[in-house]
Structure formats: C-alpha cells, structure tokens
Amino acid sequence: PASLWLLDEPFAHLDADGCERLVNIIKTKQSSGGSIILSAHREDRALNAVHLELPDFAPYSKFSFPFSEPADG
C-alpha cells in the first residue's frame, strides 16, 4: 500500500454513514504510519489533523472575477 494518500474532497457526496466509514479508513491509515494530504470544505475533528488555511497562501491578483478592473484603478 502507498505510504502517502492524496485525497481531494473525499467526503463530497457521502452520507453520514459513508463519512464515518471513511474517517475510520483514514484513522487506520494514520495509525499504521501512513500520511494523508486531504482537501475538504468540512472539518472533521475526529481525524486529528493539522489544518492549513489556504486563503493565507492565495496568490495575489489585481483582478477579481469576472475579470473586472480593481476599484483603485
């Protein structure tokens, strides 16, 4: 088995039972020494994870969607 899992929104579209099962799978992976990088919109305290807030690392852009000029010109 891979020692590193990259999971992008793994809880999306899962019901409560599916989320619980996935948390148990992830915890088993963690307890066996595996590493997981996971992106999610929900926070699950059961995962005992380190959280990284991406807005702190967002790239700078002088334009905003839908590509309008900045208010200050």
Side-chain angles (χ1 to χ4, degrees):
S3 60
L4 174 65
W5 288 357
L6 301 174
L7 304 176
D8 183 21
E9 295 290 339
F11 296 102
H13 309 291
L14 295 180
D15 62 9
D17 183 55
C19 288
E20 183 178 339
R21 292 177 66 194
L22 181 56
V23 165
N24 289 331
I25 291 168
I26 290 171
K27 289 169 95 174
T28 299
K29 178 68 171 176
Q30 289 173 318
S31 68
S32 68
S35 298
I36 299 165
I37 297 175
L38 176 128
S39 67
H41 286 101
R42 63 170 250 164
E43 178 180 340
D44 196 318
R45 298 188 186 279
L47 292 177
N48 190 28
V50 175
H51 296 275
L52 175 66
E53 296 294 331
L54 292 183
D56 296 338
F57 301 94
Y60 169 78
S61 174
K62 68 178 188 172
F63 299 102
S64 62
F65 187 79
F67 307 111
S68 60
E69 287 290 330
D72 60 350

